[in-house]
């Protein structure tokens, strides 16, 4: 399923224009806050392992616990990436279930997430941040790269959304594969039929909504979870990299 993973990365670039620099910033911050080659990180809501793959390349002595609930994305990631010689462990768990931290099985130096936590409701997001803080060693860092919008109805948010929509339309017009087309290709794969059926039971059509808590909510939730420093370390429109030190 390596081709599906490659196409996943390509379609994500439609929605996050500077996606590779985002990963670079995440790892640069991690390297400064948590120096040392043998880092263990939690790839939170990992999808098919975009962070995991890049982290293990950047940190050859590092280890990753990759956690998600989506059976399709996990199947693609596990098939394409394997366990990277024992350095990558896949865990299926639902962040809405308060027992999920017990499946991680270790404390970690960092919790990394990208373009995923916007699916959580504000109460579930707050609980996930608290659980992540409890998994971090003292001095560890949580880094979340995601769409953290401005207040609804503001002129600046409207401007950002218009610019973003124009970028996406230009990328698709230039031949990039959008989200819906990628998922249609996934659903056509016979080997993924079981995982696709299971995914539909998790999120029946129309039942899943983008919650998209704003930046102020994320800051407050991370502070309440026990993080001592919380700040944006990179931004393009409403795409931000938010770092929080334990």
């Amino acid at each position: 399923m390596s081709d599906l993973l490659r196409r996943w990365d390509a379609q994500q670039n439609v929605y996050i224009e500077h996606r590779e620099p985002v990963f670079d910033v995440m790892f640069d911050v991690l390297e400064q806050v948590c120096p040392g080659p043998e880092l263990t990180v939690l790839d939170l809501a990992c999808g098919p392992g975009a962070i995991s793959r890049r982290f293990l390349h950047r940190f050859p002595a590092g280890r990753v616990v990759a956690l998600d609930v989506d059976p399709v994305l996990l199947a693609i990631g596990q098939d394409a990436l394997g366990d990277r010689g024992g350095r990558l462990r896949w865990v299926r768990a639902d962040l809405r279930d308060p027992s999920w931290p017990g499946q991680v099985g270790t404390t970690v130096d960092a919790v990394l997430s990208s373009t995923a936590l916007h699916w959580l409701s504000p109460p579930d997001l707050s609980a996930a941040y608290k659980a992540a803080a409890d998994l971090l060693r003292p001095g560890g860092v949580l880094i979340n790269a995601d769409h953290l919008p401005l207040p609804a109805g503001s002129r600046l948010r409207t401007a950002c959304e218009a610019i973003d929509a124009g970028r996406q339309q230009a990328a698709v017009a230039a031949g990039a594969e959008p989200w819906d087309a990628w998922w249609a290709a996934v659903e056509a794969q016979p080997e993924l039929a079981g995982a696709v059926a299971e995914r539909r039971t998790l999120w029946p059509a129309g039942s899943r909504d983008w919650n998209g808590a704003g930046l102020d909510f994320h800051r407050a939730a991370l502070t309440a979870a026990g993080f001592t420093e919380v700040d944006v370390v990179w931004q393009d429109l409403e795409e931000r990299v938010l770092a929080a030190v334990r």
Side-chain angles (χ1 to χ4, degrees):
M1 299 183 195
S2 296
D3 183 59
L4 285 175
L5 181 58
R6 178 192 62 76
R7 288 167 64 182
W8 167 268
D9 277 333
Q11 62 90 5
Q12 287 286 287
N13 289 335
V14 172
Y15 307 100
I16 308 161
E17 186 174 50
H18 304 291
R19 189 163 176 255
E20 292 305 322
V22 164
F23 291 126
D24 289 341
V25 167
M26 294 176 76
F27 299 147
D28 288 346
V29 171
L30 173 61
E31 202 167 41
Q32 292 298 318
V33 176
C34 302
E38 297 183 4
L39 298 174
T40 298
V41 306
L42 171 60
D43 185 353
L44 192 65
C46 64
I51 287 176
S52 296
R53 179 171 67 84
R54 290 166 174 81
F55 171 84
L56 292 171
H57 177 77
R58 171 83 176 252
F59 299 91
R63 294 180 177 274
V64 180
V65 179
L67 183 148
D68 206 301
V69 70
D70 191 316
V72 173
L73 298 182
L74 285 173
I76 292 169
Q78 286 178 278
D79 183 83
L81 301 178
D83 70 356
R84 286 296 195 260
R87 297 169 57 215
L88 174 57
R89 179 164 61 89
W90 299 88
V91 174
R92 183 169 178 199
D94 191 337
L95 295 181
R96 298 166 297 180
D97 180 344
S99 70
W100 72 263
Q103 298 185 57
V104 176
T106 183
T107 57
V108 296
D109 298 293
V111 176
L112 309 178
S113 189
S114 173
T115 324
L117 300 184
H118 55 256
W119 292 112
L120 293 177
S121 69
D124 287 335
L125 177 63
S126 294
Y129 277 155
K130 179 63 172 68
D134 292 341
L135 288 168
L136 281 168
R137 66 166 179 79
V141 64
L142 181 149
I143 307 175
N144 179 25
D146 207 347
H147 185 88
L148 307 181
L150 292 163
S154 75
R155 293 174 65 186
L156 289 176
R157 178 167 176 170
T158 300
C160 288
E161 289 174 345
I163 295 166
D164 201 33
R167 291 176 177 180
Q168 293 175 24
Q169 291 165 7
V172 172
E177 182 177 41
W179 173 267
D180 289 345
W182 185 86
W183 277 104
V186 165
E187 292 176 359
Q189 303 296 315
E191 64 270 33
L192 289 172
V196 168
E198 185 178 2
R199 187 177 194 273
R200 287 174 179 157
T201 67
L202 288 173
W203 301 295
S207 69
R208 196 181 192 198
D209 194 19
W210 177 304
N211 287 288
L215 175 61
D216 289 344
F217 184 90
H218 282 264
R219 286 185 189 272
L222 286 163
T223 300
F227 289 91
T228 59
E229 299 177 45
V230 180
D231 219 332
V232 172
V233 294
W234 183 94
Q235 178 176 345
D236 175 53
L237 300 177
E238 295 177 300
E239 297 294 332
R240 312 175 205 257
V241 178
L242 185 62
V245 178
R246 181 75 167 98

